[in-house]
Amino acid sequence: MTNKKTPPLSIENVSVAYHRKPVLRNITYQSPEGECVGIIGPNGAGKSTLIKAALGLLPLAGGKVSIYGKPYSQQRKCVGYVPQRESVDWDFPTNALDVVLMGLYGQLGWFRRPKSEHKDRALEALRKVGMESFAKRQISQLSGGQQQRVFLARALAQEAQVYFMDEPFVGVDAATEKAIVQVLHELKEQKKTVFVVHHDLQTVSEYFDSVMLLNLRLIASGATREVFTADNLQKTYGGRLAILPQTNELLSTK
Amino acid sequence: MLELFRDANALWVLAGTTLLGISSGVLGSFAFLRKRGLMGDVLAHSALPGICLAFLFTGSKNPLWLLIGATLTGLLASLFLSWITRFSKIKEDTALGLVLSTFFGFGIVLLTQIQHSDFGNQAGLDKFLFGQSASLVGTDVVMMGSIAFILILLVSLFFKELKLLCFDANYGKSLGFPMVGLDFFLMLLLVVAVVIGLQAAGVVLMASLLITPAATARYWTERLDHMIIISACIGALSGLVGTILSSVATKLSTGPLIVLAVTILFFISMFCAPKRGLIAKWLRLIQTRQKVRQEQIYQAWNQLGTQTTTLTALSEQSNLSPAQIRRWLNQKKRGGQVVEGSPDTFTLSSTSWKEASDTALLGLYMEMWHMYEDIETDCSIQDIEQLSDLPESLRAQLQYYLQKHISEEDQAKTYHSMKKVGIEL
């Protein structure tokens, strides 16, 4: 599965359109392996769209996405997904453990129910995000940050090789932020590749080895040290950058 | 009422309505969770033209043909619905209204056509409008039973997948499950569940049988499998009660009585359910308010620093009105935690005095917890009710921050309150 020569994610000339209006134009990108990649850009830049397109959740208007050299449909077992927390109704009659178990449904396949070994794996995933003691808690009783950690644990339970996380840091408490950062480190140690849609420019250099700067098209991509520069940010955010606080301090100084 | 159990015909009706309650309770749970509450209404109304067309084509009232016709137009309506919402700017509520009334209108046109034509009144298709459970005969019930059995079997087979569909369809798609197909499959099951109930309940009332048992069951549980079972039981119970009532009080038709029965169960649940019910919620609100009031008074008392104090002093210190404090004191007096000495002078018992200082300390700790985000702990802030809920390591950290905080700002005031709660600096 992990052929060293083929990149974990390869995007060739991908465009995505909603109702004729293009949302992503001609994105071409080859990702490094075993790194934590930040997908950075202003609101409406198509960050979430890009990962949804990579996951095959949206039809492509053109181009090709491959995971380790093969189309996504053949590589599902090595891809984990953390959707935005707001994408579901948390007042659903189920508990945290049950949600994490959903991460194993793909491996279980049709009709098979999770057994105790699967429950152990789900509990282990919950432990990694510091949520073990909340396993039996009804999901609407969890705080926003805890819900985010449940989603993270669900993806961890998939034991994937490549992860896509849609804004995991948005609106979470400090404990959750810390837990997510720790998980990102662990995944990197295991040579897994993680793509994170991210909003907060202040933490980019700290969290990510490399970045994709996106605004409808790919502005720049590569190692954070080299690519996360004032010049590139100016291109990505345009005039909007002026209102961002302390911009200069955030940027990597070569 | 005993008459009912001797009459074979009535027993068939009873079995039929019970089965109907079970199948619509089970499928309704998924419609409810998929936020398709009105779907049952659309499917029921759009089944009418199907029933009429099936009759016109086959010329028979064989329930199987009618069922197939109703299923086909029901599915067609649900397809129109998803097309309208996907390809136009029209929102779902408008689309529901459009599809429902168009199909129903067409159904009524066909129905009048049938009634005025040669096969005339004996067609009896109008019973599908309002339902006529009394017309259920053995073969109908056997068919309802077998279809309900198949529906429940399919739901239990696809339980895991349907749960994924209702909770997080996009994630399911990323796992490789064909979610669009599953959604259509659920729709098909729903259509069938609606159609087998039409003869007994009618198109107008069917929606309520589908959605009310599920909404009722949701009040009693936080688990999907339990919710489905409870919903099926509520459906069955309403079917039974409605049918029995209509046989006792003659001239009342069964369908509406079933709907009334399930609605009564819904209202009982809405008010009385243990956790989600309105009364439970209201009691919790009162309790929280009382707890907050008690905390305010304890903190004020603690700040005053004496076990015996006056009503006026407490009122000034806590910013609560004397009447509010008086009410609390009277309550505590009854419990023996407060003793009134000379008028308007009160003494707190030793246990309560300790409790007051614990409350004040916890208040300070919580303030620190909110202030310093990098406190390391496994427990969550909303779970802490009293001082003893704080684990030792957490308490040590909070105390450290509290001391640090005091040395930094607001020295005098916080120092004062710390000395009261017995922290040595």
Side-chain angles (χ1 to χ4, degrees):
Chain A
M1 209 189 286
T2 55
N3 186 343
K4 290 286 171 224
K5 275 162 198 152
T6 47
L9 172 69
S10 149
I11 300 177
E12 290 163 50
N13 252 325
V14 161
S15 301
V16 177
Y18 291 133
H19 296 290
R20 283 201 214 148
K21 197 181 139 215
V23 183
L24 290 174
R25 281 171 207 264
N26 296 327
I27 309 271
T28 297
Y29 174 76
Q30 304 260 321
S31 83
E33 177 150 29
E35 285 194 1
C36 191
V37 183
I39 302 175
I40 321 285
N43 285 331
K47 304 186 292 291
S48 297
T49 309
L50 180 69
I51 67 171
K52 281 186 184 146
L55 287 162
L57 298 178
L58 291 174
L60 303 182
K64 196 175 125 192
V65 176
S66 25
I67 309 277
Y68 285 113
K70 286 183 193 156
Y72 176 75
S73 53
Q74 293 172 27
Q75 296 284 37
R76 279 196 185 102
K77 292 218 160 54
C78 63
V79 179
Y81 176 38
V82 181
Q84 286 185 19
R85 177 161 48 92
E86 292 81 14
S87 63
V88 303
D89 176 7
W90 288 90
D91 191 28
F92 191 86
T94 190
N95 61 32
L97 182 67
D98 213 30
V99 173
V100 178
L101 274 171
M102 288 179 188
L104 297 167
Y105 282 9
Q107 289 160 39
L108 280 166
W110 292 94
F111 312 126
R112 277 180 63 207
R113 300 285 175 87
K115 300 196 183 67
S116 69
E117 59 191 274
H118 301 108
K119 286 197 176 130
D120 291 343
R121 274 173 69 187
L123 273 173
E124 174 61 20
L126 272 174
R127 195 192 56 73
K128 282 185 191 155
V129 297
M131 289 280 296
E132 227 180 349
S133 48
F134 295 90
K136 291 284 167 199
R137 177 95 41 122
Q138 211 280 321
I139 54 171
S140 66
Q141 306 287 320
L142 300 170
S143 72
Q146 290 166 340
Q147 291 172 344
Q148 187 67 61
R149 280 189 269 169
V150 168
F151 262 8
L152 189 60
R154 181 174 70 171
L156 289 178
Q158 286 181 260
E159 287 173 4
Q161 208 47 46
V162 184
Y163 284 93
F164 292 92
M165 304 184 181
D166 203 345
E167 311 227 10
F169 289 105
V170 165
V172 300
D173 52 296
T176 300
E177 188 162 336
K178 211 179 262 183
I180 300 175
V181 171
Q182 201 184 336
V183 164
L184 290 182
H185 275 297
E186 276 170 29
L187 289 174
K188 213 162 70 181
E189 271 166 26
Q190 296 162 18
K191 293 276 168 251
K192 299 189 171 178
T193 313
V194 189
F195 297 90
V196 181
V197 171
H198 197 62
H199 243 115
D200 180 19
L201 293 181
Q202 320 232 13
T203 46
V204 168
S205 310
E206 187 188 331
Y207 293 166
F208 304 114
D209 313 302
S210 62
V211 290
M212 292 174 79
L213 293 174
L214 197 71
N215 193 351
L216 303 186
R217 44 194 190 88
L218 187 62
I219 308 289
S221 66
T224 311
R225 265 177 297 112
E226 288 154 24
V227 175
F228 196 62
T229 59
D231 199 26
N232 279 334
L233 277 180
Q234 189 64 43
K235 282 188 206 151
T236 314
Y237 284 81
R240 277 175 278 187
L241 193 62
I243 53 164
L244 292 166
Q246 307 134 13
T247 316
N248 288 326
E249 287 171 30
L250 324 170
L251 300 171
S252 41
T253 40
K254 269 199 240 177
Chain B
M1 200 163 124
L2 282 173
E3 287 293 300
L4 175 76
F5 295 101
R6 281 194 212 111
D7 180 358
N9 242 348
L11 277 181
W12 280 124
V13 174
L14 199 62
T17 50
T18 311
L19 281 168
L20 163 64
I22 293 174
S23 64
S24 59
V26 171
L27 268 307
S29 297
F30 290 104
F32 174 78
L33 291 172
R34 188 99 180 91
K35 314 226 178 301
R36 295 270 166 79
L38 274 174
M39 205 59 213
D41 216 13
V42 174
L43 294 178
H45 281 81
S46 55
L48 189 64
I51 290 169
C52 297
L53 284 174
F55 177 75
L56 283 172
F57 278 119
T58 64
S60 86
K61 274 194 294 170
N62 183 333
L64 193 65
W65 287 120
L66 300 187
L67 190 113
I68 291 171
T71 307
L72 287 179
T73 46
L75 278 182
L76 193 65
S78 75
L79 281 179
F80 276 165
L81 198 58
S82 60
W83 285 336
I84 290 175
T85 43
R86 200 185 306 166
F87 297 117
S88 75
K89 289 206 161 183
I90 290 169
K91 299 281 178 291
E92 192 165 19
D93 57 332
T94 317
L96 281 168
L98 276 173
V99 172
L100 184 149
S101 43
T102 311
F103 273 77
F104 189 59
F106 182 50
I108 295 287
V109 168
L110 290 175
L111 195 62
T112 2
Q113 181 64 32
I114 290 168
Q115 276 171 337
H116 290 283
S117 58
D118 289 342
F119 0 85
N121 296 326
Q122 83 260 29
L125 290 182
D126 53 333
K127 73 182 174 207
F128 286 103
L129 272 183
F130 295 108
Q132 201 177 350
S133 346
S135 69
L136 286 175
V137 292
T139 48
D140 294 331
V141 176
V142 169
M143 194 180 72
M144 279 171 83
S146 22
I147 290 175
F149 177 76
I150 294 171
L151 285 179
I152 291 167
L153 192 73
L154 287 173
V155 165
S156 48
L157 259 180
F158 287 91
F159 179 73
K160 178 175 104 243
E161 288 76 13
L162 289 172
K163 175 156 78 175
L164 195 57
L165 172 75
C166 293
F167 178 63
D168 195 349
N170 251 343
Y171 182 71
K173 202 172 163 191
S174 87
L175 291 178
F177 289 98
M179 283 308 179
V180 179
L182 259 177
D183 201 25
F184 187 76
F185 174 67
L186 176 60
M187 198 59 76
L188 181 71
L189 298 186
L190 270 174
V191 172
V192 175
V194 165
V195 167
I196 60 169
L198 285 182
Q199 192 182 348
V203 298
V204 186
L205 295 176
M206 198 49 217
S208 131
L209 276 187
L210 201 65
I211 215 67
T212 325
T216 311
R218 183 69 187 91
Y219 278 107
W220 296 93
T221 176
E222 297 289 0
R223 281 184 55 169
L224 180 59
D225 45 356
H226 292 181
M227 177 180 155
I228 292 168
I229 293 167
I230 295 173
S231 175
C233 293
I234 288 170
L237 185 68
S238 336
L240 276 174
V241 171
T243 313
I244 291 172
L245 279 182
S246 87
S247 74
V248 173
T250 43
K251 288 184 186 165
L252 289 180
S253 57
T254 317
L257 281 174
I258 296 176
V259 171
L260 285 181
V262 74
T263 310
I264 288 168
L265 287 176
F266 173 77
F267 275 112
I268 292 174
S269 306
M270 186 167 84
F271 285 105
C272 305
K275 274 187 193 149
R276 301 173 68 93
L278 287 179
I279 293 176
K281 273 189 180 169
W282 181 71
L283 285 177
R284 267 204 305 277
L285 182 70
I286 304 254
Q287 252 171 13
T288 314
R289 279 193 188 149
Q290 275 176 345
K291 199 175 153 254
V292 171
R293 171 71 38 85
Q294 166 146 321
E295 275 171 19
Q296 284 172 306
I297 296 174
Y298 269 164
Q299 272 168 6
W301 208 318
N302 186 261
Q303 275 158 13
L304 289 169
T306 49
Q307 219 165 320
T308 306
T309 192
T310 62
L311 183 63
T312 346
L314 272 177
S315 170
E316 272 167 18
Q317 185 70 36
S318 65
N319 285 326
L320 292 167
S321 76
Q324 286 172 318
I325 293 180
R326 164 76 68 184
R327 217 177 304 142
W328 182 82
L329 285 168
N330 285 341
Q331 211 182 327
K332 288 283 160 183
K333 247 164 72 182
R334 282 196 294 275
Q337 291 110 320
V338 164
V339 180
E340 186 166 6
S342 51
D344 285 348
T345 310
F346 298 88
T347 308
L348 208 53
S349 75
S350 305
T351 10
S352 299
W353 180 240
K354 173 78 173 55
E355 210 183 313
S357 81
D358 282 356
T359 309
L361 180 58
L362 182 65
L364 289 173
Y365 279 163
M366 291 309 245
E367 231 172 275
M368 291 302 114
W369 199 346
H370 283 293
M371 214 178 297
Y372 294 96
E373 284 201 312
D374 46 345
I375 284 169
E376 275 183 43
T377 178
D378 287 339
C379 57
S380 138
I381 202 156
Q382 71 257 31
D383 292 337
I384 306 297
E385 297 276 324
Q386 51 196 2
L387 202 57
S388 53
D389 292 341
L390 290 173
E392 202 50 54
S393 65
L394 179 58
R395 205 188 289 206
Q397 288 182 70
L398 292 169
Q399 191 160 338
Y400 165 77
Y401 280 115
L402 191 52
Q403 278 161 348
K404 188 173 150 216
H405 186 71
I406 289 161
S407 57
E408 277 168 6
E409 50 177 296
D410 206 9
Q411 275 195 1
K413 195 176 157 230
T414 326
Y415 175 78
H416 200 61
S417 29
M418 282 191 59
K419 226 170 73 178
K420 300 272 169 52
V421 294
I423 295 180
E424 287 303 318
L425 291 168

